[in-house]
Amino acid sequence: MNLNFLAPIDITTIFGNLLDNAIEATEKVEPSKRAISLNINQKGKLVLIYIYNTYQENLKIENNKLITTKKDSFNHGFGLKSIENIVKKYNGDLKISTNNNIFELNIILQNINN
């Protein structure tokens, strides 16, 4: 998998935020039900990033955007916004879904160098 078309800060922002959020969510889940999966694939000029994790608390999604559940919402919720900005930068798409306490996030990026 070649991610050379992404700026190093964009790689760090995407994967750092995805993994931080997934770890934080699964820490609230009963240990025997914790799960995180991250997959990266390439199909032609498209790079597909898929992450899922278990979660326990109620999530609020509006217009395909996750609304922070933290009490201090003014100082939180920037991670996914940063990812969304990077996805736009690379003419990509981001989809969020939840079902049965599984959070899923799919990112499609266009490799403009390929």
Side-chain angles (χ1 to χ4, degrees):
M1 175 61 47
N2 186 348
L3 298 177
N4 287 356
F5 71 99
L6 294 169
I9 189 67
D10 293 339
I11 293 171
T12 303
T13 300
I14 290 172
F15 293 103
N17 281 299
L18 289 178
L19 292 169
D20 281 348
N21 290 346
I23 291 166
E24 184 177 333
T26 57
E27 286 176 336
K28 299 172 185 171
V29 175
E30 177 182 325
S32 65
K33 295 182 180 180
R34 292 179 183 169
I36 298 174
S37 177
L38 173 67
N39 294 298
I40 309 165
N41 294 299
Q42 186 165 354
K43 304 229 181 197
K45 292 185 176 194
L46 299 178
V47 172
L48 313 168
I49 302 169
Y50 169 75
I51 189 165
Y52 81 81
N53 60 270
T54 51
Y55 69 92
Q56 189 60 49
E57 58 191 4
N58 292 326
L59 297 181
K60 186 175 180 183
I61 298 175
E62 294 177 2
N63 299 322
N64 197 44
K65 297 185 188 305
L66 184 65
I67 308 301
T68 186
T69 57
K70 295 179 180 168
K71 291 179 183 176
D72 182 11
S73 62
F74 182 77
N75 290 312
H76 294 283
F78 297 111
L80 279 177
K81 289 176 188 170
S82 297
I83 293 171
E84 288 171 355
N85 290 334
I86 293 167
V87 168
K88 287 178 188 174
K89 176 179 174 181
Y90 293 96
N91 301 316
D93 192 32
L94 181 144
K95 297 279 188 234
I96 296 171
S97 63
T98 59
N99 190 24
N100 294 326
N101 287 31
I102 301 288
F103 174 86
E104 296 179 283
L105 188 139
N106 288 285
I107 297 172
I108 300 172
L109 301 173
Q110 292 188 31
N111 182 342
I112 54 178
N113 295 333
N114 190 3

